[in-house]
Amino acid sequence: MTTYLPALIWLLSAFVCLYIAKRRHLKQTALRSMAVAMAGPFAIPFVLSAKPQQFNQA
């Protein structure tokens, strides 16, 4: 079971990044998805520092 622990952490961090991005209304792009997949748990600060998408309210 311990051999699967890093993969489990990597997968859970990807879901956390996706959840944070949806809550902050960040646009999902291929580049951002690849960055999350490559950086794993280290991508969470990048998602938190990204600027939310602005909506036109008229």
Side-chain angles (χ1 to χ4, degrees):
M1 182 64 184
T2 59
T3 56
Y4 296 113
L5 195 58
L8 181 64
I9 292 171
W10 213 270
L11 187 63
L12 286 175
S13 68
F15 284 120
V16 168
C17 283
L18 180 64
Y19 177 75
I20 293 171
K22 282 188 180 230
R23 297 265 307 170
R24 296 193 63 197
H25 303 290
L26 295 176
K27 187 176 180 182
Q28 187 72 10
T29 62
L31 183 61
R32 194 168 282 157
S33 297
M34 287 189 300
V36 168
M38 297 304 246
F42 304 111
I44 294 172
F46 295 122
V47 172
L48 289 174
S49 65
K51 292 184 180 178
Q53 187 177 9
Q54 296 291 329
F55 293 109
N56 292 333
Q57 295 179 355

